[in-house]
Amino acid sequence: MLPHYPRTPPRLGRILVDDPLYFVTICTFGRGRFLAEESVHRCFMQYCSESYARRGAATGRYVIMPDHIHCFVRLPQGTKLGPWIGLLKQALTMHLRGIGRCPGPVWQRGFFDHVLRSSESYAEKWEYVFNNPIRAGLVAKPEDWPFAGEIVHIDRA
């Protein structure tokens, strides 16, 4: 008989480092293209800024694409990523519904996260994320994409 494991594989508790830096991707339901607009960007920045001020949850660099969000997040010791993402999704959902968008499901279930282990990894991931709007044919230069930035400077070194 196979052993029963909780949703999180048992090894994860042993490999996580103190002060982890997460690379997170959150996608819209059915890859709906409604995130890349100024009011959503402002709502995202407000949530992340308030989360840092109240709980010490630091959102570093980020890019909001039409159908997904990439961001780098460092949480205080003992804080879990899932609830933080859940509250972000909830804030953005309330905003989107408040402006008459997305009466149905807004988000894909869950999210993708990866723990970064070195400053080189952070630089590589950021280069990929920063150039995402170019690969999607939305702008000619990454710095022209208006829905990107940095809430809190995170030094991975």
Side-chain angles (χ1 to χ4, degrees):
M1 179 179 197
L2 294 175
H4 173 71
Y5 291 112
R7 285 186 75 159
T8 304
R11 65 178 174 75
L12 289 182
R14 293 190 308 265
I15 64 169
L16 291 180
V17 296
D18 290 336
D19 203 23
L21 177 59
Y22 298 97
F23 171 55
V24 177
T25 302
I26 308 164
C27 298
T28 59
F29 184 80
R31 298 305 287 244
R33 300 175 59 85
F34 46 79
L35 296 177
E37 63 176 65
E38 187 55 38
S39 70
V40 173
H41 188 198
R42 282 193 310 268
C43 182
F44 175 84
M45 291 188 304
Q46 180 178 350
Y47 172 82
C48 294
S49 296
E50 289 176 5
S51 181
Y52 181 64
R54 292 181 182 164
R55 295 179 210 94
T59 303
R61 297 171 178 166
Y62 66 89
V63 173
I64 300 172
M65 296 294 288
D67 61 354
H68 65 281
I69 298 171
H70 291 297
C71 60
F72 296 89
V73 180
R74 174 171 283 149
L75 300 173
Q77 186 73 25
T79 303
K80 295 187 177 189
L81 184 61
W84 186 88
I85 296 291
L87 290 172
L88 171 61
K89 285 180 172 183
Q90 184 179 53
L92 292 172
T93 298
M94 288 174 51
H95 172 75
L96 287 162
R97 292 198 174 131
I99 61 171
R101 306 285 302 268
C102 307
V106 176
W107 303 105
Q108 269 185 13
R109 186 176 175 152
F111 56 92
F112 169 81
D113 67 290
H114 175 75
V115 176
L116 301 181
R117 293 180 176 85
S118 70
S119 58
E120 178 182 352
S121 179
Y122 187 18
E124 288 172 7
K125 292 284 188 198
W126 174 242
E127 189 66 26
Y128 167 80
V129 169
F130 190 56
N131 286 295
N132 222 2
I134 293 174
R135 285 190 302 280
L138 300 170
V139 291
K141 298 181 299 193
E143 51 274 359
D144 291 343
W145 186 244
F147 311 112
E150 183 175 45
I151 307 293
V152 177
H153 177 72
I154 296 175
D155 182 13
R156 187 59 202 156

